[in-house]
Amino acid sequence: MASIDVIGGGLAGCEAAWRAASHGVQVRLWEMKPEQFSPAHKLPTLAELVCSNSLRSNKPDSAVGLLKEEMRGLNSIVMAAAAVTAVPAGGALAVDRELFSREVTRLIESNPLISLIQAEVAAWPEGEAPVVVAAGPLATESMVTLLGQKISSPNLHFYDALAPIVTRDSLDFSKIYSANRYEDGEGDYLNCPMNKEEFQLFLQKLLEADEVVRRDFEDQRFFEGCLPIEVMARRGPRTLTFGPMKPVGLDNPATGRRPYAVVQLRRENQAGTLWNLVGFQTRLTRPAQTEVFRAIPGLEKAEFARFGAIHRNTYLDAPQVLDEYQRLNSDARIFVAGQISGVEGYVESAAQGLWAGENAARSALGHPLLVPPPGTAFGAMLGHLRHNSGRKYFAPSNINFGLFPPPPPEIHKSARSAWLLETARRQFSDLMRSIND
Ligand SMILES: Cc1cc2nc3c(=O)[nH]c(=O)nc-3n(C[C@H](O)[C@H](O)[C@H](O)COP(=O)(O)OP(=O)(O)OC[C@H]3O[C@@H](n4cnc5c(N)ncnc54)[C@H](O)[C@@H]3O)c2cc1C
């Protein structure tokens, strides 16, 4: 009988196992809990939400809502368990963390095709069956070593320093100007100029803002080249204006003068719909980020497609080491799923696991593997793992509409969301037909 091994019983691993079993494939699901726990995991059960209990927006017109809709279409175990363990949370889907984890465990244990093996994997499972690695961002050292032997080490990252990303449509271009430093090139950067008073107000807000409480296992030391913006600010009033907010070579065309400080925004995607705040990696809480960064001229109404964050995060440089089916380029037996594959977030990890389970099962059955169309939420999310949009380093991303192929220019701004949703739903129907063929 066709079989696969899945390493890690988190969100991605449970989805992969569930999906593969739905194709009649036998699954060995390896989970080290409750014998061994990562520093963030506490519950003995599967699919543990390690931090927030929110699976974010449930609204069908949001990108993450659309991803959930597609997951439901593919009989996601995470969506099924969330439906019966939800707690009221406005437009968001939030769950009772313990009930949710217990419900996923119950479903997995009651599936006759899935055998749960409670042990740490420290060597590749024997045999030829496809393996799905879904060991998460806090995978054990042995797992990281096994992966490291299959790829070159610069392609495994251990530290995630994320700057916030804002949507272009939410920026105030009456205050922002395009320019590269010293007019070198075409004006690829967007620049938010500050006078002295604006900078001092911003600095004061930054110094007073709340930071995320650090966990015991998170290293207090930061790389000098990647310091959180608030840590730099504490070093002295001019540290930022000599660092990431340096104004030299960025004269404001509206005044013909050099501003006191400048926040630069760099394009995050090829479509130019998303921009990141250069050098603004941060540990501030999300409400604090909203308040502090909206004090930057031009960002008063900024919508955040991703908030800044710094935490340990083991993930692959996906565009370098994975193929279009999320298999290692160096070993087609091994699929990589969840956060360790380079996606970001609970929902994305679960969805990516589901898709890895689909293709691992197809591989075990000798069926052709599938790539979801680019305009679906699955396709957009997986597409991000295929290219790094010209960036020097690959960075994980939450699902957002900036990852979808943009509508043609003749589509009016007010009709863009509807166009994206309509395209996604049409392409998802095509995908379902290919799966069922
Ligand atoms: C501290 C922290 C907080 C986070 N908070 C949020 C948040 O609030 N919201 C959000 O959307 N995302 C958050 N994330 C990011 C991410 O969405 C979650 O980490 C998510 O749980 C990833 O799902 P996963 O299935 O890839 O990994 P996990 O859910 O971590 O599952 C991996 C599983 O593999 C097991 N395992 C590891 N190594 C082995 C091994 N060698 N053998 C057998 N089993 C093994 C682990 O015990 C675990 O059960 C957070 C990440 C971290 C590290």
Side-chain angles (χ1 to χ4, degrees):
M1 185 180 190
S3 70
I4 67 164
D5 287 277
V6 176
I7 303 173
L11 298 164
C14 290
E15 286 284 14
W18 190 249
R19 184 71 197 163
S22 76
H23 283 285
V25 168
Q26 186 97 45
V27 181
R28 288 173 293 273
L29 173 59
W30 302 80
E31 169 52 56
M32 66 181 185
K33 294 195 302 178
E35 287 301 309
Q36 203 174 315
F37 285 85
S38 88
H41 289 81
K42 305 283 177 247
L43 301 176
T45 36
L46 302 171
E48 178 174 352
L49 303 178
V50 286
C51 189
S52 149
N53 67 335
S54 170
L55 301 174
R56 315 211 305 283
S57 176
N58 213 14
K59 295 189 180 147
D61 58 351
S62 68
V64 73
L66 182 65
L67 182 58
K68 290 191 186 81
E69 184 181 305
E70 294 183 6
M71 290 170 75
R72 290 184 186 107
L74 290 163
N75 297 324
S76 150
I77 185 173
V78 164
M79 288 300 112
V84 294
T85 59
V87 296
L93 174 61
V95 297
D96 177 312
R97 186 195 314 273
E98 290 194 21
L99 292 183
F100 169 79
S101 174
R102 267 193 260 154
E103 176 62 6
V104 174
T105 308
R106 186 188 71 75
L107 290 169
I108 290 282
E109 286 180 341
S110 59
N111 189 318
L113 286 173
I114 305 177
S115 321
L116 178 60
I117 306 165
Q118 290 175 321
E120 184 198 358
V121 172
W124 292 113
E126 286 174 9
E128 301 294 313
V131 177
V132 178
V133 176
L138 303 172
T140 58
E141 221 176 296
S142 349
M143 193 66 245
V144 174
T145 306
L146 286 178
L147 276 176
Q149 286 162 355
K150 298 271 180 198
I151 59 180
S152 59
S153 52
N155 291 326
L156 254 182
H157 300 276
F158 296 97
Y159 197 68
D160 209 355
L162 304 175
I165 295 173
V166 292
T167 61
R168 188 181 194 281
D169 285 348
S170 66
L171 304 179
D172 179 353
F173 282 92
S174 67
K175 299 181 181 167
I176 296 176
Y177 58 96
S178 311
N180 289 6
R181 205 175 291 281
Y182 304 118
E183 298 175 0
D184 174 19
E186 293 287 317
D188 299 327
Y189 285 80
L190 298 178
N191 300 281
C192 307
M194 286 186 190
N195 61 32
K196 193 169 180 183
E197 293 69 43
E198 287 165 335
F199 175 75
Q200 282 170 342
L201 187 69
F202 167 77
L203 187 62
Q204 190 185 341
K205 277 181 180 282
L206 182 59
L207 291 171
E208 289 169 359
D210 290 337
E211 287 180 42
V212 173
V213 179
R214 200 176 45 237
R215 313 246 193 137
D216 297 343
F217 62 89
E218 288 178 317
D219 197 333
Q220 296 189 34
R221 289 166 298 152
F222 299 111
F223 295 128
E224 272 300 304
C226 196
L227 288 174
I229 191 85
E230 62 276 10
V231 173
M232 278 187 264
R234 284 200 290 272
R235 290 188 170 180
R238 298 308 307 267
T239 308
L240 292 178
T241 51
F242 282 100
M245 296 178 73
K246 189 167 64 174
V248 288
L250 288 172
D251 290 0
N252 186 347
T255 61
R257 296 178 53 194
R258 178 195 294 180
Y260 187 80
V262 171
V263 177
Q264 288 206 293
L265 308 184
R266 186 172 46 219
R267 188 185 284 260
E268 180 67 22
N269 60 349
Q270 286 174 341
T273 51
L274 301 172
W275 293 76
N276 74 60
L277 278 66
V278 180
F280 271 54
Q281 54 275 0
T282 179
R283 292 186 63 95
L284 296 189
T285 62
R286 290 176 175 199
Q289 289 187 45
T290 306
E291 194 194 327
V292 176
F293 300 143
R294 282 188 181 164
I296 297 168
L299 302 196
E300 293 85 351
K301 294 190 174 154
E303 292 298 331
F304 293 84
R306 183 187 75 189
F307 284 95
I310 299 187
H311 57 74
R312 187 194 141 189
N313 188 14
T314 303
Y315 66 92
L316 301 180
D317 192 337
Q320 300 295 327
V321 302
L322 297 183
D323 71 8
E324 62 195 319
Y325 308 115
Q326 284 70 59
R327 299 178 301 187
L328 289 180
N329 288 327
S330 60
D331 188 342
R333 183 188 170 207
I334 298 171
F335 293 78
V336 187
Q339 184 98 1
I340 198 170
S341 73
V343 293
E344 174 75 27
Y346 295 151
V347 182
E348 292 82 349
S349 297
Q352 206 276 352
L354 189 161
W355 198 253
E358 171 72 25
N359 273 332
R362 287 178 164 272
S363 170
L365 292 164
H367 296 166
L369 307 194
L370 291 176
V371 178
T376 60
F378 267 84
M381 175 188 69
L382 297 173
H384 180 69
L385 303 183
R386 298 293 297 145
H387 55 79
N388 58 8
S389 302
R391 294 165 53 113
K392 200 166 171 195
Y393 302 108
F394 169 73
S397 176
N398 288 124
I399 184 79
N400 61 72
F401 281 126
L403 301 180
F404 290 62
E410 62 271 19
I411 303 288
H412 189 263
K413 197 170 156 183
S414 60
R416 281 190 209 156
S417 294
W419 187 92
L420 286 167
L421 289 167
E422 200 271 319
T423 305
R425 290 185 176 128
R426 186 167 24 81
Q427 293 192 357
F428 187 71
S429 302
D430 298 342
L431 176 65
M432 290 303 284
R433 271 194 293 280
S434 318
I435 289 175
N436 297 327
D437 270 353

